[in-house]
């Protein structure tokens, strides 16, 4: 006959002073594990006669349940003790300084582009995106720059496949695509800020990759003065209300007439300083009235429609606005330098 009480007492005395969960677990295995004392007892039932089984079976099963309960209760007790101990010893000193978690902030170039976008959207412009891998016909031909034209030399282009697929050397192909989409029927007001690529050595003022902010307006009775008004609004927003704009004649294949846009130096107010190279003026954009050939190729009848286009170099604007003298800082990941942007902006 099995003495269930004796086994229970043995268990109780063994676990009585245990304070460690691992030790308790080991004792549990000794009794309830696969090869444990109680499991062996259950296994031995198989060898008994039916009468004996009927008698012993329930006793061992009850014993197993009771012992399991003992272990569970003891386990809870140990866990509770550990928790109480922790609560007693671990205190949070709320007077300690907190750990500094550095916060990210938008790149200053991105911010500048957003500022221009927001301004132009209030003037009814859409922000349009286009592919950076472009076809020659959109990047050049439909902008009045046929194959072999010397104007191509100025844009030292990365060709990807033959002479047909390239990394766009300007954002102007987005203008062509937008004109084609509108099928010569609707007026257009769009800007396409984006990356452009040219084969250039990287130095403080040149990069093989740079951002342009280009705009195009096509409507009826549009003239150079409309362009000047729009440019005025943009530069005043970026550099201050007292900025004066000046147009100088220039030459681009896709506009006629073409101009270069100067602004009065915001730093010296025109008296001459290192930023304006002592001229009092700073060149910020190229622009002009859309060439009739470009309108025609874009599906717009130049007898009915006219328009203007302008292009700013985003890095140049940001460098001027924030007094940065090396455009490479926009594209590196040095947090110390990126932090100085935040400072410059809050100046
Ligand atoms: Zn100046």
């Amino acid at each position: 006959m099995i003495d269930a009480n004796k086994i229970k007492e043995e268990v109780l005395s063994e676990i009585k002073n245990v304070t460690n969960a691992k030790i308790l677990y080991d004792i549990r295995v000794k009794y309830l594990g696969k090869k444990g004392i109680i499991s062996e007892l259950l296994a031995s039932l198989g060898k008994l006669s039916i009468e004996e089984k009927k008698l012993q079976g329930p006793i061992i099963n009850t014993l197993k349940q009771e012992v399991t309960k003992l272990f569970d209760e003891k386990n809870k007790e140990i866990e509770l003790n550990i928790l109480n101990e922790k609560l007693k010893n671990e205190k949070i000193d709320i007077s300690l300084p907190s750990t500094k978690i550095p916060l990210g902030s938008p790149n200053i170039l991105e911010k500048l582009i957003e500022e221009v976008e927001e301004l132009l959207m209030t003037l009814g412009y859409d922000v349009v995106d286009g592919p950076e891998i472009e076809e020659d016909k959109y990047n050049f031909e439909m902008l009045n720059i046929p194959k072999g034209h010397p104007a191509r030399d100025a844009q030292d282009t990365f060709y990807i496949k033959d002479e047909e697929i390239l990394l766009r050397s300007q954002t102007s192909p987005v203008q062509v695509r937008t004109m084609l989409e509108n099928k010569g029927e609707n007026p257009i007001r769009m800007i396409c800020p984006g990356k452009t690529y040219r084969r250039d050595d990287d130095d403080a003022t040149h990069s093989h990759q740079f951002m342009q902010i280009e705009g195009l307006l096509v409507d009826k009775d549009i003239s150079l003065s409309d362009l000047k008004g729009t440019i005025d609004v943009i530069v005043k927003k970026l550099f201050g209300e007292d900025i004066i704009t000046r147009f100088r004649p220039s030459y681009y294949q896709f506009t006629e007439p073409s101009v270069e846009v100067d602004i009065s130096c915001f730093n010296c107010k025109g008296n001459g300083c290192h930023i304006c190279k002592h001229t009092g003026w700073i060149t910020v954009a190229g622009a002009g009235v859309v060439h009739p050939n470009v309108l025609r190729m874009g599906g717009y009848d130049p007898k009915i429609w006219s328009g203007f286009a302008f292009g700013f170099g985003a890095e140049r604007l940001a460098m001027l606005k924030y007094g940065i003298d090396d455009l490479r800082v926009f594209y590196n990941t040095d947090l110390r330098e990126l932090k100085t942007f935040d400072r410059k902006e809050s100046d």
Side-chain angles (χ1 to χ4, degrees):
M1 197 61 159
I2 294 160
D3 191 344
N5 279 336
K6 191 170 164 248
I7 297 177
K8 255 171 77 181
E9 266 162 36
E10 273 171 27
V11 172
L12 273 173
S13 78
E14 269 197 71
I15 64 176
K16 197 177 159 202
N17 295 321
V18 175
T19 53
N20 179 305
K22 171 77 178 76
I23 293 170
L24 183 73
Y25 179 78
D26 289 342
I27 302 169
R28 188 183 182 116
V29 170
K30 182 177 153 195
Y31 286 93
L32 295 169
K34 263 189 190 157
K35 296 248 149 85
I37 293 165
I38 293 170
S39 310
E40 294 278 311
L41 282 175
L42 276 168
S44 69
L45 280 173
K47 291 173 200 153
L48 301 177
S49 66
I50 293 181
E51 288 74 25
E52 284 281 289
K53 255 188 226 168
K54 274 187 181 164
L55 201 64
Q56 303 253 21
I59 297 173
I60 303 173
N61 272 322
T62 309
L63 174 67
K64 187 183 176 183
Q65 281 166 17
E66 286 175 355
V67 170
T68 305
K69 206 176 153 204
L70 287 178
F71 278 109
D72 288 349
E73 281 168 4
K74 185 69 188 177
N75 201 41
K76 265 190 202 145
E77 186 190 313
I78 292 175
E79 277 176 3
L80 192 66
N81 283 341
I82 293 171
L83 183 66
N84 284 335
E85 201 63 19
K86 258 192 177 173
L87 289 174
K88 216 168 29 177
N89 295 329
E90 292 178 9
K91 281 188 198 135
I92 297 170
D93 184 350
I94 55 164
S95 68
L96 281 173
S98 64
T99 317
K100 274 239 153 47
I101 302 168
L103 287 178
S105 54
N107 188 291
I108 209 164
L109 195 55
E110 207 61 46
K111 267 190 174 171
L112 179 120
I113 290 169
E114 267 172 30
E115 200 178 333
V116 177
E117 280 177 4
E118 271 167 28
L119 172 70
L120 284 165
M121 281 193 285
T122 65
L123 300 177
Y125 283 70
D126 291 324
V127 179
V128 182
D129 211 1
E132 287 173 30
I133 297 174
E134 191 49 281
E135 292 177 44
D136 184 274
K137 73 172 172 186
Y138 295 125
N139 193 80
F140 287 125
E141 280 176 48
M142 295 185 74
L143 288 161
N144 208 25
I145 313 175
K147 284 209 164 71
H149 196 282
R152 289 186 176 218
D153 297 345
Q155 302 187 12
D156 223 343
T157 309
F158 286 109
Y159 278 93
I160 296 173
K161 192 163 174 283
D162 306 326
E163 296 268 282
E164 296 305 330
I165 307 292
L166 46 80
L167 284 176
R168 70 179 179 197
S169 59
Q170 47 192 350
T171 43
S172 317
V174 188
Q175 300 183 4
V176 176
R177 287 171 175 274
T178 307
M179 279 193 275
L180 291 173
E181 268 168 32
N182 282 280
K183 299 186 169 64
E185 289 164 3
N186 311 314
I188 295 171
R189 284 176 189 216
M190 54 93 70
I191 47 164
C192 43
K195 294 193 192 89
T196 57
Y197 303 85
R198 293 183 193 180
R199 282 162 42 180
D200 209 337
D201 293 327
D202 292 355
D203 63 27
T205 52
H206 298 87
S207 168
H208 65 281
Q209 181 220 297
F210 53 98
M211 302 280 282
Q212 280 189 337
I213 307 174
E214 276 204 18
L216 170 72
L217 184 143
V218 178
D219 211 326
K220 286 161 188 167
D221 303 321
I222 297 300
S223 70
L224 200 63
S225 62
D226 296 308
L227 168 66
K228 197 159 195 297
T230 306
I231 298 272
D232 246 12
V233 171
I234 299 171
V235 296
K236 282 192 160 78
K237 169 87 167 109
L238 289 175
F239 297 104
E241 281 302 313
D242 55 347
I243 295 293
I244 302 164
T245 48
R246 174 175 90 170
F247 279 5
R248 273 183 299 114
S250 185
Y251 175 77
Y252 303 109
Q253 274 297 111
F254 31 86
T255 45
E256 179 57 41
S258 304
V259 295
E260 275 194 75
V261 179
D262 294 341
I263 58 169
S264 55
C265 181
F266 51 85
N267 188 50
C268 64
K269 310 289 173 212
N271 294 325
C273 69
H274 71 286
I275 293 175
C276 59
K277 300 201 174 85
H278 305 283
T279 63
W281 296 93
I282 303 167
T283 305
V284 292
V289 171
V290 182
H291 197 289
N293 285 351
V294 175
L295 283 173
R296 211 173 286 121
M297 283 187 274
Y300 280 78
D301 183 351
K303 288 200 190 80
I304 302 169
W305 301 92
S306 52
F308 63 73
F310 57 85
F312 289 92
E315 287 87 351
R316 180 157 168 78
L317 289 185
M319 286 165 83
L320 289 169
K321 188 169 162 72
Y322 298 109
I324 295 160
D325 53 12
D326 189 334
L327 72 79
R328 288 169 293 194
V329 298
F330 294 122
Y331 297 108
N332 78 22
T333 51
D334 190 330
L335 284 175
R336 287 166 302 181
E337 278 178 356
L338 294 174
K339 283 270 170 267
T340 65
F341 287 169
D342 293 345
R343 276 208 300 282
K344 276 176 176 140
E345 199 190 18
S346 57
D347 277 352

